Amino acid sequence: MARKTVSLVLGSGGARGLAHIGVIECLEARGYEIRAIAGTSMGAVIGGIYAAGELATYTRWVTALSKADVVRLFDFSFSRGGLVKGDRIIGVLKELIVDRNIEDLPISFTAVATDVREQKEVWLNRGSLFDAIRASISIPTFFTPFPYHGRLLLDGGLVNPVPVAPTLNDHTDVTVVVMTGARSRPDLDTAPARRPVPFPEYSRRIAQFIDRLPWRPEVAEPVEGAPEAMGLVDVILRSTETMQNTIARLKMAAYSPDVVVKIPRNACGFLEFYRAQEMIDLGRREAERVLPDLTH
């Protein structure tokens, strides 16, 4: 019997996007053949690396990361364009995996980014794989925007956190979507305490950077019994996630994918990449709940 072919849509979500690896492992184990991938942000990272045939290499690397390793991946720019340049992360990936043109990959791949000047969605399906990935992960104010062929590109999740549209013309049997901002689940609240990734060696420099900005944030007096205040990075990331999750729900209402794998938004923090194996296992379990087994 011929294997059932899949168009795979991988959403944004920071470290929760590592669950995409577990979903892919489940698809392969259950007899599916992934023919096309569309990804946004972390979905573009995992999808592009899988399309290049290098997911096992990436998985070995990311599951070995410690908290300190995660911190070292951030090359702070201290510019008005963003806190992190992103060159170091892409450089490490290029050392692991040789860059290549998207059109030469054995699996069709599209990364989604946002043209900030034209305020529109951009599909990247030709040229350098890692240029497309870098553009797609450019979270506003966190990563600096990525200049690409005369455009200034930001994270694709700003306009399309679950990019089903690039797969609509695929000639495949099934469309599988992985959402990483699904409703929180109480059973995941027992996971290890959510602690922000530490930035001890950079904290003073970040404070100095904020002081040099042309605006100064108003410092509110603490109120007894009020929720704990969030830091600058938390505000940036959580605001972006809130917007993306809202857009994702609207996008999913507009399309009718065959299968949706839902990763709860309280599974882990946005930057907790040191919990890679935990997220991979979660992705595999959630995929097993909704995917028919074609091997029997």
Side-chain angles (χ1 to χ4, degrees), residues 12-17 41 139-140 155 157-158 161 180-182 230 233-249 263-271:
S12 56
R16 288 193 306 277
S41 199
I139 303 166
D155 193 308
L158 290 173
T180 61
M230 290 187 291
V233 173
D234 273 340
V235 170
I236 292 169
L237 297 178
R238 292 195 188 189
S239 299
T240 301
E241 282 193 282
T242 299
M243 177 192 66
Q244 290 185 358
N245 290 340
T246 301
I247 296 173
R249 288 192 291 271
I263 307 301
R265 57 178 174 265
N266 65 329
C268 79
F270 199 88
L271 296 177

Side-chain angles (χ1 to χ4, degrees), residues 10 39 63 114 143 145 203 242:
L10 302 178
T63 52
T114 301
F143 282 113
S203 58
T242 299

Side-chain angles (χ1 to χ4, degrees), residues 8 14 18 22 38 88 112 119 133 139 145 149 153 167 182 221 230 265 270-271 286-288:
L8 183 59
L18 293 168
R88 186 175 299 162
V112 175
Q119 299 183 8
I133 288 173
I139 303 166
H149 297 295
L153 301 184
T167 69
E221 292 297 322
M230 290 187 291
R265 57 178 174 265
F270 199 88
L271 296 177
E286 295 306 308
E288 287 171 350

